């Protein structure tokens, strides 16, 4: 079971384990905003709701400009596992400008790609192949990208993640 942690200003910060969230609540560093419908947890002095979303009691300053690191999984997720050239299901990623020609490992130069298109394209550019990208690649934006662990969300988190988008 996982719990969404909100900053004192309702900004999503992270997803933590149920145990970590419960420790924050028990030490009065956070309060439960949303809880699960299952049985409460009994402490030595009282019972606690099982937290689904908690909010910190004090504001935590977050370093500015959280950059999303470029990963294979991230590129596939950004492109919804669809090939940037033909639109079929993608299982690999492709450098629009090949690395052999100075192409970087950046959000703007990587797209999800099906195995067939990736093999046909090889180390050529889309212009040389007379291919057109279905979209312009860009860095991902929104709370679900800057908050670690939100790939698999709980329905109770949606209103709080929507605020960050």
């Amino acid at each position: 079971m996982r719990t969404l942690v909100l900053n004192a200003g309702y900004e999503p910060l992270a997803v933590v384990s149920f145990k970590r969230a419960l420790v924050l609540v028990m030490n009065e560093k956070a309060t439960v905003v949303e809880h699960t419908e299952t049985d409460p947890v009994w402490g030595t002095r009282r019972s606690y709701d099982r937290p689904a979303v908690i909010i910190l009691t004090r504001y935590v300053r977050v370093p500015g400009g959280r950059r999303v690191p470029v990963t294979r999984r991230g590129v596939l997720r950004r492109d919804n596992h669809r090939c940037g050239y033909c639109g079929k299901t993608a299982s690999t990623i492709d450098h629009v400008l090949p690395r052999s020609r100075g192409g970087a490992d950046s959000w703007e130069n990587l797209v999800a790609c099906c195995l067939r298109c990736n093999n046909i394209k090889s180390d050529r550019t889309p212009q040389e192949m007379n291919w057109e990208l279905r979209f312009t690649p860009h860095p991902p934006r929104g709370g679900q990208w800057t908050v670690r662990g939100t790939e698999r969300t709980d329905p109770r988190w949606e209103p709080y993640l929507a605020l960050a988008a």
Side-chain angles (χ1 to χ4, degrees), residues 3-165:
T3 303
L4 177 65
V5 179
L6 304 174
N7 210 342
Y10 282 84
E11 168 193 6
L13 285 180
V15 176
V16 297
S17 69
F18 158 73
K19 284 183 177 182
R20 176 71 180 131
L22 198 57
V23 167
L24 288 169
V25 171
M26 291 173 117
N27 289 330
E28 297 179 357
K29 294 184 181 203
T31 55
V32 178
V33 177
E34 300 271 344
H35 59 85
T36 62
E37 301 300 321
T38 57
D39 295 332
V41 176
W42 290 93
T44 54
R45 293 192 174 93
R46 67 185 195 101
S47 68
Y48 297 91
D49 291 326
R50 293 179 185 266
V53 180
I54 61 172
I55 185 166
L56 298 177
T57 54
R58 299 183 74 177
Y59 188 81
V60 175
R61 191 174 175 284
V62 179
R66 284 195 202 178
R67 292 188 42 85
V68 180
V70 180
T71 61
R72 178 182 178 278
R73 179 188 288 170
V75 172
L76 289 168
R77 192 172 137 218
R78 177 199 65 187
D79 298 348
N80 204 19
H81 292 271
R82 292 283 166 212
C83 180
Y85 303 109
C86 70
K88 292 182 181 171
T89 302
S91 59
T92 65
I93 60 172
D94 179 60
H95 290 80
V96 178
L97 177 63
R99 287 193 336 202
S100 62
R101 300 196 188 179
D105 289 333
S106 66
W107 288 109
E108 295 83 4
N109 191 46
L110 291 169
V111 293
C113 192
C114 68
L115 196 57
R116 183 175 181 273
C117 288
N118 207 345
N119 287 333
I120 292 171
K121 182 177 170 284
S122 188
D123 66 341
R124 293 174 285 206
T125 66
Q127 291 80 16
E128 291 170 348
M129 300 290 298
N130 290 323
W131 287 4
E132 213 171 291
L133 278 171
R134 298 173 56 243
F135 58 90
T136 304
H138 57 78
R141 293 179 287 277
Q144 66 272 24
W145 290 94
T146 55
V147 180
R148 292 181 62 93
T150 58
E151 296 86 30
R152 299 182 322 265
T153 63
D154 184 313
R156 289 176 288 251
W157 301 354
E158 295 303 324
Y160 307 100
L161 293 175
L163 296 174

